[in-house]
């Protein structure tokens, strides 16, 4: 609409009529009115022809964003659980792409799994077996292969499912003394402190949900349509906004138990940030700050009276931007109610929305204009 309206205005300055524009485009003159009213789309070819002859119309001032675009509020809300899961999976991939995390895993398992543990004869029929874990640098590739082979065993999947059941039934403070031990599920040469099972649980959660493209270290890049942020120039003026910290976010179990270990565990992680005598990398620690803490939603309206919704998500360590592209004028209140209801806003905010739309000269369905 902006391109055709600009072309008509520029044509008048050039002493041309709409008939001349139609001839230039090779169309019937009556189609020009359809383009003006938005009943018919110009299409990229005709649009480029108009721009080439009459120039590009000046756009409204805008705001540059890199945002994920959803076509409607209904689409955004219905796909929010999947979107939340995408951020979690991305965090796991980043954590297990770190050399530090891989080093922790190999030190927890230990290179003693590559051969029988050394034991010492104490006489009188007694023997003692070394319980020291750790992994030399040269043995890391072999230990990683051992881990990958054992991940494929049914017993490991069984342990992961048992751990999931255990964590789901636990209080906020998890008693790791009662947790299933992985040594009882095919990892019999691995001696891990009870607190440190959470790292293997995180690792199994990463593996069993990424089997098709699993690697260790993980591929650094992880993307889904929910993480696809495109360059956007959001035009129009803000006419209403609201904030909410009630997002309905359900924290993944593996993150909950990782946080529990960080806060209540008995190892030295709380003091020197290390596991198995290896410093915990920032990528792994970042998982403890992963959340969906709140939103700021902004309703904008441009000069063509087109509504857009810009949602700023507080994701803990980062902000994520969302644009809702299609917000029908005649359903603006219903659409707003749907969004506000999800984030548990009061009806007072709806009244303020109507006040702001009226002040901005917008259309209010079912409201008499005097």
């Amino acid at each position: 609409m902006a391109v055709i309206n600009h072309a008509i205005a520029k044509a008048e300055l050039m002493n041309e009529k709409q008939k001349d524009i139609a001839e230039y485009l090779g169309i019937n003159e009556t189609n020009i009115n359809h383009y003006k009213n938005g009943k018919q789309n110009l299409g990229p070819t005709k649009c480029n022809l108009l721009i080439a002859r009459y120039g590009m119309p000046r756009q409204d001032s805008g705001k540059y964003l890199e945002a994920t675009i959803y076509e409607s509020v209904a689409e955004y809300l219905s796909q929010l659980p999947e979107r939340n899961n995408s951020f979690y999976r991305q965090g796991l991939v980043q954590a297990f792409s770190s050399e530090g995390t891989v080093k922790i895993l190999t030190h927890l398992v230990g290179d003693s799994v590559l051969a029988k543990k050394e034991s010492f004869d104490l006489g009188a029929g007694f023997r003692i077996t070394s319980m020291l874990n750790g992994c030399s640098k040269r043995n890391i590739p072999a230990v990683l292969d051992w881990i990958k082979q054992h991940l494929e065993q049914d017993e490991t999947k069984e342990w992961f499912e048992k751990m999931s059941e255990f964590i789901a039934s636990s209080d906020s403070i998890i008693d790791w003394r009662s947790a299933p031990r992985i040594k009882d599920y095919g990892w019999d040469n691995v001696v891990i402190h009870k607190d440190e099972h959470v790292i293997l649980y995180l690792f199994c959660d990463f593996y069993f949900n990424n089997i098709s493209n699993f690697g260790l270290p993980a591929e650094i890049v992880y993307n889904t349509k929910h993480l696809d942020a495109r360059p956007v120039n959001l035009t129009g003026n803000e006419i209403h906004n609201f904030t909410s910290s009630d997002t309905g976010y359900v924290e993944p179990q593996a993150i909950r138990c990782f946080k529990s270990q960080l806060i209540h565990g008995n190892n030295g992680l709380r003091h020197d940030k290390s596991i198995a005598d290896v410093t915990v990398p920032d990528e792994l620690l970042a998982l403890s700050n992963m959340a969906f803490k709140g939103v700021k939603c902004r309703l904008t309206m441009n000069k063509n009276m087109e509504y857009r919704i810009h949602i700023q998500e507080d994701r803990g360590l980062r902000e994520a931007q969302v644009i809702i592209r299609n917000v029908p004028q005649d359903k603006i209140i219903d659409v707003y109610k749907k969004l506000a209801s999800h984030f548990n806003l009061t009806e007072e905010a709806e009244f303020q929305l109507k006040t702001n739309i009226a002040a901005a000269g917008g259309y209010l369905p079912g409201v008499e204009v005097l």
Side-chain angles (χ1 to χ4, degrees):
M1 288 171 61
V3 171
I4 187 65
N5 288 330
H6 172 77
I8 291 169
K10 191 73 180 286
E12 288 179 2
L13 295 175
M14 298 166 62
N15 294 319
E16 292 183 3
K17 302 182 182 298
Q18 291 189 24
K19 176 184 175 183
D20 299 309
I21 298 175
E23 288 179 358
Y24 171 65
L25 294 177
I27 60 173
N28 191 292
E29 185 181 350
T30 57
N31 287 347
I32 299 294
N33 285 328
H34 294 159
Y35 294 140
K36 283 170 57 179
N37 299 329
K39 293 180 179 177
Q40 205 172 328
N41 290 324
L42 269 172
T45 301
K46 291 184 178 63
C47 192
N48 288 333
L49 282 171
L50 289 175
I51 291 171
R53 183 175 177 85
Y54 300 105
M56 173 73 80
R58 184 178 180 275
Q59 299 183 96
D60 282 349
S61 59
K63 180 177 182 180
Y64 176 78
L65 299 166
E66 292 183 359
T68 304
I69 299 175
Y70 293 89
E71 291 302 316
S72 67
V73 164
E75 181 192 13
Y76 170 69
L77 293 180
S78 68
Q79 297 189 18
L80 200 48
E82 187 180 330
R83 178 173 169 82
N84 291 337
N85 189 55
S86 292
F87 279 97
Y88 172 52
R89 298 295 157 207
Q90 183 186 53
L92 286 178
V93 168
Q94 289 172 344
F96 287 101
S97 66
S98 162
E99 289 185 8
T101 306
V102 172
K103 190 175 180 181
I104 286 173
L105 277 173
T106 55
H107 277 247
L108 281 176
V109 173
D111 51 16
S112 58
V113 297
L114 303 177
K116 290 184 177 179
K117 287 179 179 283
E118 184 180 359
S119 60
F120 304 94
D121 193 345
L122 300 179
F126 291 99
R127 298 184 68 84
I128 184 169
T129 301
S130 172
M131 302 294 281
L132 294 176
N133 279 9
C135 182
S136 64
K137 188 174 182 179
R138 64 186 175 84
N139 282 334
I140 286 179
V143 172
L144 287 178
D145 285 341
W146 187 94
I147 292 172
K148 291 172 186 175
Q149 290 171 15
H150 281 68
L151 283 172
E152 296 172 1
Q153 295 179 355
D154 292 340
E155 288 174 294
T156 304
K157 183 68 179 292
E158 183 184 357
W159 174 79
F160 175 67
E161 292 170 349
K162 293 284 186 185
M163 276 290 285
S164 297
E165 293 172 7
F166 167 75
I167 293 167
S169 62
S170 299
D171 296 327
S172 57
I173 300 176
I174 299 173
D175 183 2
W176 294 105
R177 293 172 299 179
S178 306
R181 303 297 175 91
I182 200 164
K183 68 180 181 65
D184 299 327
Y185 293 83
W187 296 48
D188 46 293
N189 283 341
V190 177
V191 180
I192 298 178
H193 192 279
K194 60 183 185 299
D195 283 7
E196 292 169 339
H197 276 74
V198 67
I199 301 300
L200 287 180
Y201 181 66
L202 268 173
F203 179 56
C204 286
D205 193 21
F206 167 57
Y207 170 73
F208 288 118
N209 289 283
N210 294 278
I211 292 177
S212 60
N213 56 356
F214 174 78
L216 196 63
E219 294 289 334
I220 295 176
V221 177
Y222 173 82
N223 207 0
T224 69
K225 64 179 182 179
H226 301 293
L227 302 176
D228 180 22
R230 308 180 199 171
V232 173
N233 182 16
L234 181 63
T235 62
N237 296 316
E238 180 182 313
I239 59 175
H240 188 65
N241 71 70
F242 69 79
T243 59
S244 174
S245 57
D246 191 350
T247 64
Y249 177 69
V250 178
E251 190 172 59
Q253 284 195 161
I255 296 296
R256 182 167 75 86
C257 66
F258 184 48
K259 284 183 178 179
S260 176
Q261 187 214 19
L262 289 175
I263 298 170
H264 303 292
N266 296 321
N267 289 334
L269 178 57
R270 274 62 52 197
H271 307 294
D272 61 5
K273 292 186 178 179
S274 67
I275 298 176
D277 295 324
V278 178
T279 301
V280 177
D282 291 340
E283 295 89 346
L284 185 55
L285 283 175
L287 291 175
S288 64
N289 292 312
M290 187 172 291
F292 185 13
K293 295 182 176 180
V295 294
K296 181 164 188 177
C297 299
R298 296 180 174 91
L299 177 68
T300 65
M301 184 176 71
N302 63 24
K303 64 182 181 183
N304 294 322
M305 291 184 66
E306 295 168 327
Y307 292 117
R308 307 278 189 260
I309 296 175
H310 172 207
I311 303 174
Q312 222 172 322
E313 298 177 333
D314 181 354
R315 292 277 173 182
L317 289 175
R318 60 177 285 193
E319 260 188 5
Q321 313 293 333
V322 169
I323 298 293
I324 308 297
R325 191 202 304 269
N326 294 319
V327 185
Q329 291 184 13
D330 59 341
K331 295 180 180 176
I332 178 62
I333 304 303
D334 292 337
V335 168
Y336 173 83
K337 282 182 177 179
K338 185 186 289 285
L339 191 63
S341 173
H342 181 85
F343 293 115
N344 286 323
L345 288 192
T346 61
E347 291 190 5
E348 286 79 0
E350 181 189 328
F351 179 82
Q352 188 61 51
L353 168 68
K354 293 177 179 178
T355 301
N356 293 352
I357 290 176
Y363 171 70
L364 282 168
V367 176
E368 184 179 1
V369 180
L370 302 176

